[in-house]
Amino acid sequence: MSANGVLIAGAGIGGLTAALALGRRGIDVTLFEQAEKLEEAGAGIQLSPNATRVLVALGLAERLSAVIVEPSAIRVRSAPSGRELVTMRLGAATLQRYGAPYWVVHRADLQKVLIEAIAEHPRITLTLGATVDDFTIGPTGVSAGVSFPPLDGRPADAAPDSRNGMDRHGRGISLRQGGAGRADYRAAALIGADGLWSRLHALLLGERTTPRFAGRNAFRAIIPAKQLSPPEREPTVNLWIGPDGHLVHYPVRAGAAVNIVAACGGRSPSSGWNTRVGRDEVLERFPAAGWAAARQLLAAPEHWQKWPLYDREPSTSWGQGPVTLLGDAAHPMLPFLAQGAAMAIEDAVVLARELARSPVDCAAALRSYESERRPRTARVQREARRNDFSYHLRQPAAFIRDAIMQALGGERLLAQYDWIYQWRP
């Protein structure tokens, strides 16, 4: 790897994990994030053993222990009746079966832990308020054009604030100074981890794989655990399945809060990624006729955030030369397998391994990374779509689905996910 190292566009979970994995392999990383502040955005995420074993290997277990919850089970319930259909044991059973834990965590808490680890690493620089918007491939690497929009009217010498303990001036994390501008950065490789509407994806692949609205919107809320009854805040992942929708809830923030996500059909996407709505709109989408047992939980949050669900058809190409994609930029998927973050984390560690193996031929390293990751992520994308169908069946098909789940039982149902959870880098 040349002294110029690797550039990464996007400081989401995938980009941050990739930066840390590369830095730990002795590779210099410059990470750009268009947001000027790393805020407490997002909702809870599930980290299955295929993801947690990577985070443990990166040395993050102790830091994460203060914010994660290790659920004892995944419990599937009927939304109309509240009846328990099947329970998949986690906890000690997960460690025994997969050799790694199953965690649930608030996305912002995971992001903060990754940021703290990056801030301490001498080979990683994270710059906020910077967008990678084009690139040129040359004979010895890649040149990326980075734009810097105005900083909310602040003068060039204004000191940026810090938030949630993430010091943007400390140890490799900075908010670039000055007004609007543009600069070119040269490196051995460029990684696009800039999300669903990735600028680098559009430059690499054009409109061949446009994001597809899934015909569903989701509502999410985080509420204090004390607002719920003891059964509703137990350390379990609860999945309620009903007609044309489903509901998931589990504790986060070491049990101090509960994450609730409710997905339902929608003819058109909501107007933004975090549209604020009240409980009446949510209750209207989940009528008592099919959701009687779950409506008390749905009524608990006063306000929700509404966002549209998208994915893409699996792509046969992610990159060109020393440029590739990672996470949602490469393979956005529906949340019905709870694997979006996990796939980005897997991508990150495989990418770092391949670049470390072939430091003088980054293009070959990235093609090797892509050839390993594409079949697996495509399968997860397809399986998530299948769950979109099976979770939301109406009667009488829902009766058959429920009977099959009960006949399988928790252990055999969990075994159907062995191919996901047993993965090791």
Side-chain angles (χ1 to χ4, degrees):
M1 183 69 61
S2 74
N4 290 325
V6 175
L7 306 178
I8 300 178
I13 301 303
L16 292 169
T17 307
L20 188 58
L22 287 162
R24 286 173 62 90
R25 287 184 175 270
I27 297 172
D28 293 326
V29 182
T30 303
L31 181 62
F32 298 102
E33 169 55 45
Q34 65 179 355
E36 295 175 18
K37 297 180 180 179
L38 293 171
E39 306 212 38
E40 286 203 2
I45 54 176
Q46 299 180 52
L47 296 172
S48 48
N50 49 308
T52 61
R53 66 170 48 93
V54 173
L55 299 177
V56 170
L58 290 174
L60 302 177
E62 183 175 353
R63 280 191 168 113
L64 285 167
S65 65
V67 294
I68 59 97
V69 172
E70 189 169 349
S72 60
I74 298 173
R75 183 176 296 128
V76 185
R77 297 179 176 180
S78 164
S81 67
R83 179 169 53 96
E84 184 176 309
L85 301 175
V86 67
T87 295
M88 292 173 275
R89 293 187 302 117
L90 300 177
T94 304
L95 286 170
Q96 182 178 2
R97 187 181 188 97
Y98 302 114
Y102 196 113
W103 293 336
V104 289
V105 66
H106 193 292
R107 181 178 294 272
D109 291 339
L110 175 57
Q111 181 188 53
K112 181 179 178 181
V113 166
L114 288 165
I115 290 285
E116 289 172 348
I118 281 172
E120 296 171 358
H121 204 290
R123 289 190 174 274
I124 306 172
T125 300
L126 167 59
T127 301
L128 304 179
T131 302
V132 179
D133 50 23
D134 66 23
F135 65 85
T136 302
I137 297 174
T140 59
V142 60
S143 176
V146 181
S147 62
F148 306 101
L151 296 178
D152 296 337
R154 292 194 295 274
D157 59 353
D161 58 359
S162 62
R163 187 180 182 93
N164 300 322
M166 295 180 285
D167 182 357
R168 289 175 292 173
H169 278 308
R171 292 174 295 187
I173 302 178
S174 66
L175 178 67
R176 55 87 194 172
Q177 298 295 296
R182 182 177 174 81
D184 290 329
Y185 290 78
R186 294 191 58 80
L190 170 63
I191 313 303
D194 48 345
L196 172 68
W197 301 102
S198 166
R199 171 64 176 164
L200 294 187
H201 182 283
L203 292 171
L204 283 166
L205 305 177
E207 300 302 321
R208 283 183 282 168
T209 53
T210 303
R212 176 197 73 109
F213 175 56
R216 298 199 178 277
N217 290 305
F219 302 86
R220 64 188 180 196
I222 302 282
I223 62 173
K226 62 185 179 182
Q227 292 186 15
L228 300 175
S229 66
E232 292 171 332
R233 57 177 188 258
E234 289 179 350
T236 58
V237 176
N238 297 274
L239 168 62
W240 303 66
I241 49 180
D244 199 36
H246 80 278
L247 167 68
V248 177
H249 65 95
Y250 48 81
V252 292
R253 300 203 147 153
V258 174
N259 175 72
I260 308 175
V261 180
C264 62
R267 293 184 178 180
S268 59
S270 57
S271 57
W273 291 106
N274 280 294
T275 306
R276 186 179 170 92
V277 301
R279 67 162 62 98
D280 289 345
E281 179 173 342
V282 176
L283 291 173
E284 182 181 348
R285 299 296 184 91
F286 295 87
W291 290 84
R295 277 173 63 85
Q296 182 176 350
L297 183 63
L298 289 165
E302 182 179 358
H303 299 290
W304 297 72
Q305 299 296 320
K306 177 182 178 182
W307 90 103
L309 300 182
Y310 286 85
D311 67 356
R312 275 197 182 101
E313 292 293 338
S315 175
T316 58
S317 174
W318 290 357
Q320 176 185 349
V323 185
T324 194
L325 303 171
L326 178 151
D328 282 352
H331 47 71
M333 56 192 61
L334 299 178
F336 307 135
L337 267 181
Q339 286 295 308
M343 290 299 109
I345 290 168
E346 288 186 13
D347 287 350
V349 71
V350 173
L351 175 76
R353 182 196 70 201
E354 292 304 315
L355 282 172
R357 282 178 174 175
S358 301
V360 297
D361 191 348
C362 290
L366 296 185
R367 300 297 86 75
S368 179
Y369 150 76
E370 293 164 5
S371 66
E372 178 172 336
R373 296 300 300 156
R374 280 201 316 269
R376 178 168 169 83
T377 57
R379 183 178 176 186
V380 174
Q381 286 176 296
R382 291 191 296 267
E383 291 296 319
R385 285 190 180 185
R386 286 184 59 186
N387 278 357
D388 183 13
F389 173 77
S390 63
Y391 281 3
H392 307 130
L393 292 171
R394 294 179 175 273
Q395 298 294 358
F399 176 82
I400 299 172
R401 174 204 60 204
D402 295 352
I404 292 173
M405 280 189 176
Q406 290 178 302
L408 281 172
E411 186 170 353
R412 285 196 291 172
L413 189 60
L414 183 63
Q416 294 185 355
Y417 300 104
D418 283 353
W419 67 275
I420 298 178
Y421 299 165
Q422 287 177 345
W423 181 89
R424 286 171 170 77

